[in-house]
Amino acid sequence: MNADEIEALIEDGIPNASATVTRPRGPDDDDHYAARVVSPAFEGETVVAQHERVYDALGDHMTTDIHAIELTTRTPDQVED
């Protein structure tokens, strides 16, 4: 699984989401990712609930293809501030 595939899963699973996925430990580390996700669907949710939405979008890949993912979640209003 690569960063583009992870971005697609997140964007397909969360309404109007925009995801950017990187490898924070460098290109040789295939198991650790960082994702920045912006979606109006996060409005009014706690950070924990926002992260749960991302984990739900990734589904079984979190236990099979992805060892760890660092999450940053924002609403569009938080990005503009």
Side-chain angles (χ1 to χ4, degrees):
M1 172 160 269
N2 62 43
D4 291 339
E5 293 169 322
I6 295 171
E7 287 176 0
L9 285 171
I10 294 169
E11 291 175 352
D12 288 346
I14 301 173
N16 301 310
S18 174
T20 303
V21 176
T22 60
R23 291 184 178 158
R25 295 184 180 183
D28 295 329
D29 184 350
D30 291 337
D31 294 335
H32 296 84
Y33 294 93
R36 184 174 192 273
V37 184
V38 179
S39 174
F42 296 147
E43 196 74 45
E45 293 187 339
T46 65
V47 171
V48 172
Q50 295 172 3
H51 289 196
E52 286 176 350
R53 276 185 181 261
V54 176
Y55 290 131
D56 288 347
L58 295 172
D60 291 339
H61 294 286
M62 279 305 302
T63 57
T64 56
D65 302 318
I66 302 168
H67 177 72
I69 189 165
E70 301 169 21
L71 296 177
T72 302
T73 53
R74 299 282 187 267
T75 65
D77 288 343
Q78 290 173 317
V79 173
E80 292 176 7
D81 291 340

